[in-house]
């Protein structure tokens, strides 16, 4: 079946550090891929998405590229801020149905 | 407001009681989803509506769980004879249509605690 695996947290970085959160997936066909973010005390928000191979999603300085050959959708940011502290979820949506399949989430802690 | 609205935001109830959770999607969104977020289980899909019909109920964990949607808008998730393992945050999301390319927009959730 379809599944998403993302790196376990928490990930702790200093401000202005480079961030990578790994995400790999298993799916039949060509799913759509998403990163959602959950800030402390808030609901889930879409961060970025990519719907086909080699697409790059980007938002708020974050980027992720849909890599079909490695079945990956790693999240990157060149210089993180304290305000980026949150839990990040990688998810996929297969074209055969519409539910989101979620990774376990990665808690990111940015220290000033 | 313009977002997905859920009520109540918090619900505490005794084991064995029934609860109803409400979701008001973004106006015009035909697709509506319920998920559950719990410690140790992460985010789990429960049910998907397209309009008033539910083509995918595969995630409902038991027959104590049911959901309906009326008028293509508001949805209610009902849990009968609640158990402690039902404690979780129940999330509702909506999207413009049943297309897997479209992102889902989430409400803030209902935090359900079963004593």
């Amino acid at each position: 079946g379809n599944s998403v695996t993302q790196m376990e947290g928490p990930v702790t970085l200093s401000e202005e550090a480079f961030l990578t959160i790994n995400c790999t997936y298993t799916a039949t066909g060509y799913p759509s891929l998403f990163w959602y973010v959950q800030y402390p005390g808030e609901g889930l928000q879409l961060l970025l998405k990519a719907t086909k191979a080699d697409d790059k999603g980007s938002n708020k300085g974050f980027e992720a590229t849909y890599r079909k050959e490695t079945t990956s959708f790693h999240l990157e940011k060149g210089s993180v801020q304290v305000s980026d502290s949150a839990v990040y979820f990688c998810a996929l949506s297969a074209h055969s149905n519409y539910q989101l399949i979620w990774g376990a989430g990665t808690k990111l802690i940015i220290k000033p | 407001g313009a977002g997905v609205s859920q009520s109540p935001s918090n619900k505490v109830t005794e084991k064995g009681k029934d609860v109803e959770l409400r979701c008001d999607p973004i106006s015009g969104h035909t697709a509506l989803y319920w998920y559950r977020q719990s410690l140790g289980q992460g985010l789990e899909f429960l049910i998907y509506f397209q309009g008033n019909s539910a083509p995918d109920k595969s995630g409902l964990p038991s027959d104590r769980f049911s959901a309906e949607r009326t008028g293509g808008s508001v949805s209610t998730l009902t849990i009968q004879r609640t158990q402690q393992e039902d404690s979780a945050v129940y999330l509702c999301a909506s999207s413009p249509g049943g297309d897997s390319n479209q992102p889902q927009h989430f409400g803030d959730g209902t935090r359900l605690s079963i004593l």
Side-chain angles (χ1 to χ4, degrees):
Chain A
N2 299 332
S3 66
V4 175
T5 302
Q6 59 181 109
M7 62 191 294
E8 291 187 20
V11 172
T12 304
L13 296 171
S14 297
E15 209 166 17
E16 300 184 2
F18 184 87
L19 167 71
T20 300
I21 300 178
N22 289 338
C23 172
T24 57
Y25 68 90
T26 302
T28 54
Y30 299 88
S32 296
L33 302 173
F34 304 87
W35 277 100
Y36 280 82
V37 59
Q38 190 169 33
Y39 297 103
E42 298 185 15
L44 281 163
Q45 302 174 25
L46 176 70
L47 182 59
L48 52 84
K49 71 170 187 175
T51 58
K52 61 181 187 295
D54 300 324
D55 267 3
K56 178 185 283 187
S58 61
N59 186 25
K60 299 182 180 180
F62 290 89
E63 293 183 339
T65 301
Y66 188 141
R67 302 283 189 201
K68 181 68 177 175
E69 63 277 13
T70 55
T71 61
S72 66
F73 193 53
H74 304 323
L75 182 68
E76 296 182 337
K77 187 174 184 181
S79 176
V80 292
Q81 306 299 314
V82 172
S83 57
D84 293 327
S85 298
V87 181
Y88 292 81
F89 293 90
C90 184
L92 71 81
S93 179
H95 296 301
S96 57
N97 59 48
Y98 307 114
Q99 59 173 281
L100 283 168
I101 307 297
W102 299 88
T106 302
K107 184 172 184 178
L108 176 64
I109 301 168
I110 306 300
K111 297 191 172 181
Chain B
V4 176
S5 178
Q6 291 187 245
S7 61
S9 54
N10 284 283
K11 177 72 176 177
V12 181
T13 192
E14 293 180 347
K15 177 182 170 182
K17 300 287 189 184
D18 297 352
V19 295
E20 282 190 354
L21 312 179
R22 176 188 168 105
C23 173
D24 203 340
I26 293 172
S27 178
H29 281 193
T30 62
L32 186 147
Y33 311 80
W34 284 97
Y35 295 89
R36 180 167 71 173
Q37 186 176 24
S38 53
L39 289 175
Q41 296 293 324
L43 278 151
E44 306 169 84
F45 167 79
L46 297 178
I47 188 169
Y48 155 63
F49 286 93
Q50 182 60 250
N52 291 336
S53 63
D56 190 348
K57 304 180 182 179
S58 62
L60 293 178
S62 75
D63 59 7
R64 296 186 295 105
F65 287 72
S66 62
E68 64 175 13
R69 189 180 186 196
T70 55
S73 182
V74 172
S75 176
T76 302
L77 177 69
T78 301
I79 310 173
Q80 296 179 308
R81 305 181 303 282
T82 52
Q83 303 294 312
Q84 287 187 330
E85 62 263 27
D86 300 333
S87 296
V89 177
Y90 289 81
L91 295 168
C92 177
S94 69
S95 67
D99 184 335
S100 60
N101 290 337
Q102 295 170 330
Q104 297 174 22
H105 302 266
F106 284 80
D108 288 339
T110 294
R111 182 174 298 277
L112 177 64
S113 300
I114 309 300
L115 302 178

